[in-house]
Amino acid sequence: MELRCGGVGSQAGGRRMDGDSRDGGGGGCKDAGSEDYENLPTSVSLSIHMTAGAMAGILEHSVMYPVDSVKTRMQSLNPDPKAHYTSVYGALKKIIRTEGFWRPLRGLNVMMMGAGPAHALYFACYENMKRTLNAVFHHQGNSHLANGIAGSMATLLHDAVMNPAEVVKQRLQMYDSPHRSALSCIRTVWGTEGLGAFYRSYTTQLTMNVPFQSIHFITYEFLQEQINPYRGYNPQSHIISGGLAGALAAAATTPLDVCKTLLNTQEKMALNLANISGRLSGMANAFRTVYRLNGLPGYFKGVQARVIYQMPSTAISWSVYEFFKYFLTKHKLENRTPY
């Protein structure tokens, strides 16, 4: 895909997707990729954000799913002796050797079904909220506060779609899971625990993901300002910014992820050890249970796996999203009817 000065990009007269206008004159010019990338008319930006977001979500979760399976198991508070793991690689190797080659992928189908629409809403909401809030807070500049709020708002939509998929996925991922398919898991959970079981960890999920996404988006946008100031299509900058933003946010929110995993899986051995009968619900109860069973170190169980999972995940997500946004933008501009 050739990047050039002039041509389609310059025909749009320097109009940006976020509604800002910049003078296209002066000494030198940016490559057409940068201009094409930012010049998509607002009227069609929503569909492009949603399409690019859906592709990013599906690819991100598909590629990193085996590591996600390991993360879920490593966060177990009282694992079966046969499911003790010391490293991500060692865990994957042991799971494949003892449970079969396809075992780390169980639950991938339900995750893909949730990830597509969830990420479509997530990126579309973020881009539109960011543009609106930046106009309010910082006019033609970039406000970190606006980016953080936009990320938090996008999380509300994302998690509403993803939470049921997370519940099913994590129950399928656990060692010696009684569920052999996503459909059987859904039927069993619905029949024995009711519809509320799919949203039992929703408040915890939001409590985790709102700070996670705020840190994630603020860090990503800050790094983009440093290494990609013109905000053109630059794959290397999207990968680096996305990976570092994801790693920082993942490490900071690991305690909340441990509590979310406990609420989603309702780990029987851990609940029995804590003398809890019935179902565990509520973030406060989850925090108390984790501390009672493992102390402060319990809040950071699986932190290595979480960072190893999130760093490439967010790098993949941003690079795929920005690629499709650029590709679809360029396609729209090249097919625009000339006046």
Side-chain angles (χ1 to χ4, degrees), residues 167-187:
V167 171
V168 175
K169 175 207 71 168
Q170 290 196 308
R171 295 198 183 204
L172 289 167
Q173 288 173 332
M174 292 298 287
Y175 176 76
D176 201 24
S177 171
H179 312 292
R180 291 294 175 264
S181 70
L183 188 58
S184 70
C185 181
I186 293 169
R187 285 173 175 166

Side-chain angles (χ1 to χ4, degrees), residues 242-261:
L244 291 176
L248 178 62
T253 57
T254 296
L256 294 163
D257 193 41
V258 171
C259 294
K260 181 209 74 173
T261 298

Side-chain angles (χ1 to χ4, degrees), residues 31 34 142 144 218-245 318 322:
D31 58 54
S34 297
N142 185 38
H144 296 307
I218 289 171
T219 305
Y220 179 82
E221 297 287 355
F222 171 77
L223 291 173
Q224 282 291 286
E225 285 180 350
Q226 308 308 308
I227 61 179
N228 186 19
Y230 287 116
R231 307 309 293 268
Y233 176 61
N234 184 333
Q236 186 178 13
S237 79
H238 302 316
I239 290 170
I240 293 171
S241 299
L244 291 176
W318 277 110
E322 299 285 8

